[in-house]
Amino acid sequence: MFTAPSNVATSPPLQGPLRPNAVRRLSHHTQEKPNVLNHLKRVIPAKVRAFSTAGGIRSAWRHLRPFLPQHSNVSIGGVGALSFVGSVAESTVLVILTLIANSLIAGDDNISFRSFNLDQGSAAAIASGLVLVRIVCILAAAAISSRFAAAVTGRAQRKIVSAYLGSSYVARSARPPGDLTTVLVNHGRFTGDLAGAFALVAASVCGLVAFGGISAAVNPLATLAIAALGIAVLLSMAPLRGRSQRSSREFTAEARLLGQRSTEMEALNTEIQLFDVSRAVQEALDRRIEHGTDHLKRLRFLGTSIPQLFQTAMLAAAIGAVIFMVRSADGNELASIGAVVLLLIRSMSSAQQYVAANQRIIEQSSYAVNVTEL
């Protein structure tokens, strides 16, 4: 049954030919400046406030599940598998290039790694073939991910329309003007973007596993040390991710209310002109817009800075790890250390991609919750 959402400030039905009460309510709606915490308690569902940093991804997946198409796990698994294969191919290319450079410095015609020996020409040909494999994997993963996100968007929007039309007239009339449009167009699309973010998480995690596996095969000790540093850096950024979750919820609520008020303004165009309250309506909506942009400013600041801060922290940790490895290694291990450094630099991109995808999930999970409320 379609019911009026509990997380949206509803409006009384508009009555009378001129509806003066509605105009007065629209022009004075945001003149008060309520406490932010009390405002959030009124407009945000309890289940959204219950999101925690540790369980945010699981909660977002649970709210996304009603809109997932059939075999969605296969789609996400396919993206992860293609990312893993492509990352293994790229890692192997980096190792081959390091070994070729080392052989050129040493004046050898062959590259050698443990019991493996190959001439430089054959090694370059293998690397070229692996680059083609990487390209195919990138294109195939992108096709699956985009198709998956589009399917989720369509299912979410169809379910919104179906729930609205299947509800009673009383329930439909109780909805604030413009709320359905806001949820259908914006929140439905962002729900699809949330699905794409989960596919990106799968790709980045599988890529990290591939880079880490190849790096461990080259130099296990160095790989373990760098992995431990990366986990420590990731855990240290948990407070920032929690603050980003709160900013996302605040902005989502404000954007939804702004959509309602702008629709009311359009519907009351004649009354606004008749009662000459254009300036009051303008000031009221200006305050609502200012509240929303304040939340958006914080959200965009955190969304932009968190992935880059993570990458910079990992870079600093990598410098320390490389200095330690070079000082403690003998000359025969320098080639493997060089390969590990290359893999480390490349794996930073996958790690940053994971952090950015996690940030997208944090920002867009609130939209999926609003859709499931219908």
Side-chain angles (χ1 to χ4, degrees), residues 76-91:
I76 294 181
V79 172
L82 288 167
S83 176
F84 179 81
V85 173
S87 298
V88 168
E90 184 177 351
S91 301

Side-chain angles (χ1 to χ4, degrees), residues 33-55:
K33 296 182 179 180
N35 180 272
V36 174
L37 292 178
N38 292 333
H39 175 68
L40 292 179
K41 290 178 181 178
R42 185 172 69 253
V43 300
I44 300 177
K47 63 175 66 178
V48 184
R49 295 197 302 269
F51 271 24
S52 64
T53 301

Side-chain angles (χ1 to χ4, degrees), residues 81-105:
L82 288 167
S83 176
F84 179 81
V85 173
S87 298
V88 168
E90 184 177 351
S91 301
T92 306
V93 170
L94 293 176
V95 173
I96 291 175
L97 292 178
T98 303
L99 295 176
I100 291 177
N102 185 67
S103 65
L104 290 174
I105 294 173

